[in-house]
Amino acid sequence: AQTVTQSQPEMSVQEAETVTLSCTYDTSESDYYLFWYKQPPSRQMILVIRQEAYKQQNATENRFSVNFQKAAKSFSLKISDSQLGDAAMYFCAYRSGDSGTYKYIFGTGTRLKVLA
Amino acid sequence: DVKVTQSSRYLVKRTGEKVFLECVQDMDHENMFWYRQDPGLGLRLIYFSYDVKMKEKGDIPEGYSVSREKKERFSLILESASTNQTSMYLCASSSYYETQYFGPGTRLLVL
C-alpha cells in the first residue's frame, strides 16, 4: 500500500524568505501523480502544484516549485519570497496512475507560519 | 471556476441523531469524495463515488453511509452520531484524471 509522510508538523519562515516543506512517499508503482494542497485557516483547500511522475522536469507555479526525486521518493515544496498569505496547512498527496484507481493518499500536513 | 459547496459550515448534533451532510459540485465531475480531517491524522477517505449510484468504501467507512442519486450531489450520512465522529468533514470532486477540488468543509460537533 502507498503511504505519504510529512515529517514536519510545523514550520516557520520570515516574510520574503524561502522555505522548503518535505514529503516522502512509498510506492511500487511507476506511474502516479503527486500534489501539494494548501488549506488557509478557515478557508477552502486549494491545489498549489501538481507533478506527473513520468515528467523529469520539476513543476513550477510562480513562487512555488517542487524538487521531485523519483528514485528517492521525495517530493518537497519550495516557497520563495514567502508572503503572509502563504500561512496555511500544506498537504502532500499521492494518486496512482492506475486507471482503475481514484483514491488520493494524503500526508498528515505541515502547518506553515509566516513571520512579519 | 469549479465550485464545490457543502450544506453547512458548522453543525452541532446530539449522540444518536441521524446526520446528513450534503455536497454539491457544478462541474459535471464523475468522481466525488468524502474525507474526514483530524489534527495529526491528515485527510482520511470515508467513501467515494465514481458515478451516480456507485460508491466504494474508503479507509474509514464504519459508522457512515453515502448516497449519490444525482451526478452533482453526494451525501454523507451518519446513521447514529457518536462523539468520536466529531471532526471536520471535507467533500471533494474531480473529473477522471484531474485534480480534486474541495468544498469549504463542515465542522461537526457531536455532544
Side-chain angles (χ1 to χ4, degrees):
Chain A
Q2 296 87 9
T3 59
V4 176
T5 301
Q6 294 179 250
S7 57
Q8 307 151 318
E10 192 170 290
M11 292 196 70
S12 297
V13 63
Q14 206 70 36
E15 202 176 1
E17 297 293 308
T18 295
V19 65
T20 299
L21 308 184
S22 301
C23 173
T24 58
Y25 59 94
D26 191 22
T27 184
S28 58
E29 298 176 328
S30 58
D31 184 22
Y32 51 87
Y33 302 83
L34 295 166
F35 307 85
W36 277 100
Y37 282 90
K38 170 185 177 181
Q39 187 181 40
S42 301
R43 291 179 59 190
Q44 216 138 335
M45 182 137 24
I46 57 172
L47 176 71
V48 175
I49 203 162
R50 160 186 164 138
Q51 175 83 41
E52 289 85 352
Y54 64 84
K55 289 187 178 177
Q56 292 189 338
Q57 189 171 8
N58 289 327
T60 299
E61 286 288 339
N62 301 315
R63 298 182 296 106
F64 298 86
S65 62
V66 297
N67 183 5
F68 173 46
Q69 303 285 330
K70 191 171 184 179
K73 296 179 183 172
S74 170
F75 183 61
S76 59
L77 175 70
K78 185 170 91 170
I79 307 174
S80 305
D81 185 26
S82 297
Q83 301 175 358
L84 294 177
D86 295 333
M89 281 290 287
Y90 287 83
F91 292 95
C92 178
Y94 169 102
R95 181 195 158 154
S96 169
D98 181 344
S99 60
T101 302
Y102 303 93
K103 280 180 63 173
Y104 287 67
I105 298 165
F106 286 82
T108 51
T110 297
R111 183 174 301 281
L112 178 66
K113 295 183 178 181
V114 181
L115 308 172
Chain B
D1 273 358
V2 174
K3 200 167 202 178
V4 180
T5 56
Q6 294 183 229
S7 49
S8 306
R9 290 300 302 271
Y10 301 95
L11 215 48
V12 180
K13 295 293 181 181
R14 297 217 172 268
T15 302
E17 277 192 78
K18 192 167 186 175
V19 181
F20 292 87
L21 304 182
E22 197 162 72
C23 175
V24 178
Q25 51 98 358
D26 67 356
M27 284 303 291
D28 202 36
H29 285 165
E30 298 85 8
N31 304 323
M32 295 188 75
F33 307 79
W34 274 107
Y35 292 94
R36 174 176 170 157
Q37 182 181 4
D38 298 289
L41 297 178
L43 276 69
R44 294 179 291 167
L45 182 65
I46 304 172
Y47 269 97
F48 67 98
S49 168
Y50 51 91
D51 202 349
V52 176
K53 296 192 187 294
M54 306 304 288
K55 61 186 179 185
E56 283 201 23
K57 293 180 180 179
D59 299 315
I60 51 164
E62 297 79 19
Y64 304 94
S65 62
V66 291
S67 171
R68 193 164 180 204
E69 297 296 319
K70 293 185 177 182
K71 191 174 186 179
E72 67 271 18
R73 197 175 297 264
F74 192 36
S75 300
L76 179 70
I77 303 151
L78 286 66
E79 296 290 344
S80 177
S82 64
T83 54
N84 62 13
Q85 292 178 310
T86 290
S87 188
M88 169 73 91
Y89 291 88
L90 296 178
C91 175
S93 74
S94 73
S95 60
Y96 187 56
Y97 262 131
E98 291 302 314
T99 304
Q100 285 191 335
Y101 294 88
F102 284 86
T106 296
R107 192 169 292 280
L108 173 66
L109 172 63
V110 182
L111 300 173

